[in-house]
């Protein structure tokens, strides 16, 4: 089956980057902190923007945020903030940039307390991805009781730009929930990956 003949989730169309992201990454369970931190930055940067905008700037984010290394980002200074504000390869929103640095510090604290940030996050689903069975895009919610609980906990810990909508996008991306439509060619593939773990 060619790339164009495959049935995908409705949002994965048009932009090649979006199709590739959907086909190769979205919903695949990720247990490493580097991936988790990357998407904390990208998902919070997306707030109010389209995901395609962020995908187009992903390479810029990787460069500007030193490979999404939370230890280096946590040490960013005011000079770094000004450098990032002048860089058109990312979204130049001061509050989002400052929150990424702020969140890196909390991320590292959580990782130190729980062995990794990923362990802390995955405990919300007892380490096993939630397998949804959505038939239409209109059934995919912007938030869930799960994302509400995680966002509430993150807010208590001091995270910024991590409301329930952003958190739901994070847990979809990191595979804590499988929100591929049942008609999507990736649904069963992602489910199988979850069972392998």
């Amino acid at each position: 089956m060619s790339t164009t003949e495959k049935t995908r989730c409705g949002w994965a169309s048009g932009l090649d980057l979006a199709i590739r992201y959907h086909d190769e990454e979205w919903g695949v369970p990720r247990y490493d902190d580097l991936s988790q931190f990357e998407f904390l930055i990208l998902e919070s940067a997306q707030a109010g923007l389209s995901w395609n905008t962020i995908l187009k700037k992903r390479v810029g984010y990787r460069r500007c945020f030193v490979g999404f290394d939370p230890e280096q980002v946590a040490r960013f200074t005011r000079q770094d903030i000004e450098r990032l504000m002048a860089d058109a390869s990312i979204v130049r929103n001061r509050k989002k940039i400052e929150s990424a640095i702020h969140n890196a510090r909390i991320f590292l604290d959580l990782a130190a307390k729980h062995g990794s940030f990923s362990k802390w996050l995955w405990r919300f689903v007892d380490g096993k991805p939630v397998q949804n069975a959505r038939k239409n895009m209109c059934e995919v919610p912007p938030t869930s009781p799960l994302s509400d609980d995680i966002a509430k906990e993150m807010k208590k810990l001091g995270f910024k730009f991590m409301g329930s909508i952003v958190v739901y996008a994070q847990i979809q991306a990191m595979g804590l929930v499988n929100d591929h439509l049942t008609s999507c060619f990736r649904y069963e593939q992602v489910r199988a990956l979850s069972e392998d773990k």
Side-chain angles (χ1 to χ4, degrees), residues 7-11 22 26 125 129-147 168-169 171-172 176-188 191:
T7 301
R8 294 179 174 81
C9 300
W11 62 266
H22 170 274
W26 193 67
V125 292
V130 175
Q131 299 299 327
N132 291 319
R134 314 207 193 270
K135 293 182 170 68
N136 301 297
M137 288 303 297
C138 62
E139 294 176 17
V140 182
T143 64
S144 71
L146 174 60
S147 66
Y168 196 67
I171 63 177
Q172 286 175 311
L176 279 80
V177 296
N178 181 0
D179 264 349
H180 284 282
L181 301 183
T182 53
S183 58
C184 175
F185 84 99
R186 284 294 279 163
Y187 178 77
E188 289 298 340
R191 186 161 77 167

Side-chain angles (χ1 to χ4, degrees), residues 59-111:
V59 171
Y61 270 97
R62 185 171 287 117
R63 178 180 51 77
C64 289
F65 286 89
V66 287
F68 300 109
D69 180 338
E71 291 187 5
Q72 291 193 59
V73 174
R75 292 194 297 266
F76 278 8
T77 63
R78 284 184 181 167
Q79 287 177 317
D80 291 304
I81 293 169
E82 296 310 319
R83 170 180 57 82
L84 295 175
M85 283 296 295
D87 196 319
S89 69
I90 64 168
V91 175
R92 292 179 287 180
N93 178 303
R94 187 175 296 276
K95 287 186 178 179
K96 289 180 180 180
I97 290 168
E98 289 173 347
S99 74
I101 299 164
H102 172 84
N103 289 347
R105 295 167 185 154
I106 300 169
F107 182 97
L108 291 172
D109 287 344
L110 268 180

